[in-house]
Amino acid sequence: MDAIILTHIIGWGLGIVLFFAALVLYNEKKSKQATIPHMILRLDYLVILYTGFVLLWRYFDASGSSFTVQAIIKGIAGLIVVVCMEMILVKMKKEKSAKAWWIIFFIALVLTLLLGFGILPMGFLPA
Ligand code: HEM
């Protein structure tokens, strides 16, 4: 396993933790405290996006890979997960309903994990 995939996994693992920390705090109307995990999460988005795009780029470089299409779908689904996390937190902050974003979030997350762990070849889970 190389540094990029490892950083990608640490990036989204940390992202989910920070997302829930901010979520709980916004839910308790502790908007000020929630800003801290929310801001760190926004930096973490950059790590997720950068490593994600580097991983995706490898599939374009290795022309003829039988997984290019799956990797593109994985990338789009991952992107949607990031957008949903940010939208849910902003809605929570404004005390508006985030229901639609939650639905999209779960669908995209399941798709992302299925493709990332289940179908695409790299990673730490046994194939
Ligand atoms: C929160 C969002 C994201 C999550 C939860 C996520 C999750 C994952 C997981 C679970 C893996 C597989 C790791 C493994 O098998 O050990 C992976 C790999 C990958 N991810 Fe993401 N990811 C996210 C965002 C992104 C984004 C934004 C992109 C692209 C723009 C992207 C592109 C990729 C690519 C190309 C791979 C390589 C798969 C392989 O070669 O096996 N990911 N990601």
Side-chain angles (χ1 to χ4, degrees):
M1 181 152 60
D2 71 3
I4 293 287
I5 188 90
L6 187 63
T7 312
H8 190 65
I9 294 169
I10 294 171
W12 66 256
L14 182 69
I16 287 175
V17 174
L18 289 166
F19 173 66
F20 277 101
L23 201 67
V24 168
L25 289 168
Y26 278 134
N27 207 26
E28 293 174 355
K29 312 244 182 293
K30 294 178 181 158
S31 231
K32 217 172 179 162
Q33 291 92 320
T35 310
I36 298 161
H38 196 171
M39 283 301 172
I40 305 171
L41 178 61
R42 281 170 173 162
L43 289 178
D44 191 40
Y45 292 154
L46 301 179
V47 176
I48 299 170
L49 292 174
Y50 173 73
T51 53
F53 276 108
V54 171
L55 289 166
L56 190 56
W57 192 251
R58 290 179 182 169
Y59 283 93
F60 293 121
D61 250 6
S63 54
S65 164
S66 49
F67 289 107
T68 308
V69 174
Q70 289 91 326
I72 294 169
I73 298 171
K74 158 74 185 63
I76 294 169
L79 221 68
I80 295 173
V81 173
V82 171
V83 170
C84 286
M85 290 199 289
E86 181 58 23
M87 288 310 295
I88 290 167
L89 291 181
V90 170
K91 291 276 177 193
M92 297 278 298
K93 186 176 190 158
K94 294 181 178 169
E95 298 186 27
K96 287 186 181 158
S97 167
K99 197 171 166 200
W101 291 105
W102 272 116
I103 297 167
I104 306 169
F105 172 78
F106 279 115
I107 297 170
L109 186 65
V110 168
L111 194 63
T112 306
L113 294 176
L114 268 179
L115 283 164
F117 280 135
I119 295 174
L120 288 169
M122 232 176 349
F124 59 83
L125 291 186

